[in-house]
Amino acid sequence: MTKSKDHELASDLVLGVLAPESYRAARIREFEDKEFAEKVAYWQNRLAPLALGGSVTPPPDMLDRIESAIDRSGEELPGTVTVRAGTGEWHDMGPGLRVKLLSRIDSLQRQTIMVDLAPGGEYTAHEHSQDEEIYMISGDLLIGGLVLGPGDFHIARAGRTHPVHRTRTGCVCIISQAID
């Protein structure tokens, strides 16, 4: 085994991530091989602070450094658009109703929006010139007698009327719909 493989095995042994048979073999090797035992001791000392469970206060600029690294790694792939959480512009559309445009395809007369409806909020009844798709992210949405919750997906077919949308707790959802 190479020295780096020995270190990897010793650290895995100390971390407790080895399969039972590999664990037994590594423990025997630790007992029989002085150099390997030294590597195990090294990793026990190196990783000991993790076992103490104390809290560590990160440097004050840590979050900024992480966000900066994410921004640098957020290069767009050719032919794609990414809308990051916390970006984009919310538009007030009525009492307790905000909308953020995620995508618009004028040639198809179609758009995808994120909707944030405050607790107790309503969205008026409306007709559909195209299928309308709703994907629930959080909260509840009542459409007539239908209740939608997080993870639910709903389609209202073209030519139908959607009754009033209401929410008790507030909701956030993604809607793909016609641009009317």
Side-chain angles (χ1 to χ4, degrees):
M1 211 176 245
T2 66
K3 288 188 180 198
S4 83
K5 289 284 187 188
D6 281 352
H7 268 289
E8 184 178 335
L9 178 61
S11 67
D12 287 352
L13 175 64
V14 171
L15 288 169
V17 297
L18 294 175
E21 190 58 39
S22 297
Y23 176 84
R24 281 189 291 280
R27 279 293 180 209
I28 292 168
R29 183 166 174 213
E30 179 187 11
F31 182 77
E32 295 175 345
D33 181 344
K34 182 180 177 187
E35 285 185 31
F36 184 69
E38 289 172 357
K39 289 175 178 59
V40 171
Y42 166 83
W43 284 107
Q44 287 170 331
N45 291 332
R46 177 107 173 143
L47 298 173
L50 296 177
L52 298 176
S55 64
V56 175
T57 303
D61 66 336
M62 180 62 74
L63 181 59
D64 291 335
R65 290 181 6 218
I66 292 169
E67 288 176 340
S68 178
I70 291 169
D71 288 345
R72 286 191 309 274
S73 70
E75 186 175 310
E76 293 292 333
L77 300 173
T80 69
V81 174
T82 301
V83 179
R84 300 256 180 223
T87 65
E89 188 175 329
W90 286 97
H91 301 277
D92 290 324
M93 304 300 286
L97 174 62
R98 310 186 305 156
V99 173
K100 181 189 338 184
L101 180 66
L102 300 176
S103 173
R104 181 180 175 109
I105 306 170
D106 289 321
S107 62
L108 299 176
Q109 285 296 292
R110 194 144 185 91
Q111 65 185 0
T112 302
I113 58 175
M114 183 179 293
V115 175
D116 181 15
L117 192 56
E122 292 186 353
Y123 183 73
T124 60
H126 54 279
E127 293 183 10
H128 298 282
S129 60
Q130 297 180 21
D131 287 357
E132 179 182 270
E133 302 171 348
I134 300 174
Y135 177 76
M136 293 293 295
I137 296 173
S138 65
D140 62 42
L141 187 62
L142 289 73
I143 304 172
L146 176 69
V147 179
L148 300 175
D152 288 343
F153 179 75
H154 172 76
I155 298 177
R157 297 293 181 198
R160 303 289 182 169
T161 299
H162 241 160
V164 173
H165 296 41
R166 293 183 173 86
T167 179
R168 291 182 304 250
T169 64
C171 72
V172 175
C173 59
I174 303 288
I175 300 178
S176 179
Q177 66 183 146
I179 300 171
D180 291 325

Short mmCIF file of all heavy atoms in Angstrom, two decimals, residues 86 134 142:
data_model
loop_
_atom_site.label_atom_id
_atom_site.label_comp_id
_atom_site.label_asym_id
_atom_site.label_seq_id
_atom_site.Cartn_x
_atom_site.Cartn_y
_atom_site.Cartn_z
N GLY A 86 -32.72 34.84 -4.51
CA GLY A 86 -32.31 36.16 -4.02
C GLY A 86 -32.05 37.16 -5.12
O GLY A 86 -31.74 38.31 -4.85
N ILE A 134 -48.86 24.61 -12.30
CA ILE A 134 -48.48 25.16 -10.99
C ILE A 134 -47.68 24.10 -10.26
O ILE A 134 -48.12 22.96 -10.13
CB ILE A 134 -49.71 25.54 -10.14
CG1 ILE A 134 -50.57 26.59 -10.87
CG2 ILE A 134 -49.28 26.03 -8.75
CD1 ILE A 134 -51.88 26.90 -10.15
N LEU A 142 -55.54 26.90 -2.16
CA LEU A 142 -56.88 26.32 -2.35
C LEU A 142 -57.43 26.85 -3.66
O LEU A 142 -57.54 28.07 -3.86
CB LEU A 142 -57.81 26.72 -1.20
CG LEU A 142 -57.53 26.08 0.14
CD1 LEU A 142 -56.29 26.66 0.78
CD2 LEU A 142 -58.72 26.25 1.05
#
